[in-house]
Amino acid sequence: MQQFQTEERYSLETLLPINTLYDHEHGLTQEDVDAANKLVHHIERTRDPLVPQVGDRVRYTTRYGDFHGNALIEAIREDGTLSICLCPYVPFVWATADGIGCAVSGGLFTVVAPQALHPAGSVQGDFCDWGHCGACGNGAVQFSAEVPLWEYWEPEPLYGDFTTERWRKIRLHKDPERRDGDLYRSDCISFRTEEEFQMFLSDYEGAVFPVYDPKSVIVWCYRDEERAVSPKEWDALDAPVSERRLYNAPRPVKLVKNRERHTTVCYYVRPEYAVR
């Protein structure tokens, strides 16, 4: 069953950088280091790369395409299914006879059959436990241990292979009456006209999907990056010049697509050069 080998993981010097607040308020001691190393030994000694266990991490993708790369198996239910926290805070842990127990906050929580998870290697998982001062404000000592990593996709995905691991996901509301001046709007972006929206889809390789609300759509597209460059760097870029609105003003730009990273980089001349 043992798959991970652990030497003394931490010393005072190596545990301190991830516990500076604890050290400031309570003073990190060798007792804390020994307790952390003991838990690391126990966690790694009780892992099984073929059987999902409490404390293991999961690369979890919902049927809506939302990717959670650090989901946590936080409990095994009485029926054998796994309780998984998709966005956990660092969990408190304690040793049990055959593994660990976890107390975690965060969300969302879901349930998955263990046989539905597929091995995906291993990863350093963050954990914590109360230090020598016991349960008190900022009294937890954090450490990491190597645990198995698993992969899970919820069945019947709504958007094919689009996921937020590599793509940007935007939900847009369409208001034909343009009561706020925009035809499309979301929390992070807006478009005044259909032409502006179609230009965005072309620039960022966008794909549009309907949702249950007839006035809304889901857009999957490349992520965007903005990079200010000098005139010399601008001239060296082998890309056509176009005009886009940046910081609510028209500006000449050059768009370069990175198809491996699913990113469109928007280059523009640094403002201090443009003013001159």
Side-chain angles (χ1 to χ4, degrees), residues 44-122:
E44 296 185 348
R45 180 179 60 83
T46 56
R47 299 299 96 186
D48 189 329
L50 300 179
V51 180
Q53 294 176 283
V54 172
D56 291 357
R57 295 319 201 262
V58 182
R59 288 167 47 87
Y60 192 109
T61 305
T62 73
R63 67 188 299 255
Y64 302 98
D66 299 316
F67 172 74
H68 304 275
N70 187 45
L72 171 75
I73 301 176
E74 61 97 18
I76 299 177
R77 294 152 52 102
E78 291 184 0
D79 61 1
T81 56
L82 309 174
S83 175
I84 297 178
C85 180
L86 300 186
C87 298
Y89 293 103
V90 176
F92 279 85
V93 295
W94 58 91
T96 64
D98 57 354
I100 57 173
C102 274
V104 63
S105 57
L108 301 165
F109 288 82
T110 188
V111 176
V112 176
Q115 59 270 24
L117 271 59
H118 302 285
S122 61

Side-chain angles (χ1 to χ4, degrees), residues 223-244:
R223 295 188 175 98
D224 64 316
E225 292 182 10
E226 295 178 0
R227 294 185 189 174
V229 296
S230 68
K232 183 177 180 180
E233 293 170 315
W234 171 270
D235 292 338
L237 283 170
D238 184 16
V241 179
S242 56
E243 185 178 89
R244 298 291 185 273

Side-chain angles (χ1 to χ4, degrees), residues 22 26 31-32 92 129-141:
Y22 174 89
H26 306 290
E31 179 184 351
D32 296 322
F92 279 85
D129 191 16
W130 296 117
H132 70 270
C133 52
C136 59
N138 298 316
V141 174

Side-chain angles (χ1 to χ4, degrees), residues 187-201:
D187 294 335
C188 60
I189 197 169
S190 61
F191 305 100
R192 293 171 298 173
T193 65
E194 185 67 34
E195 291 75 17
E196 192 175 279
F197 177 48
Q198 293 300 321
M199 180 182 294
F200 173 85
L201 296 179

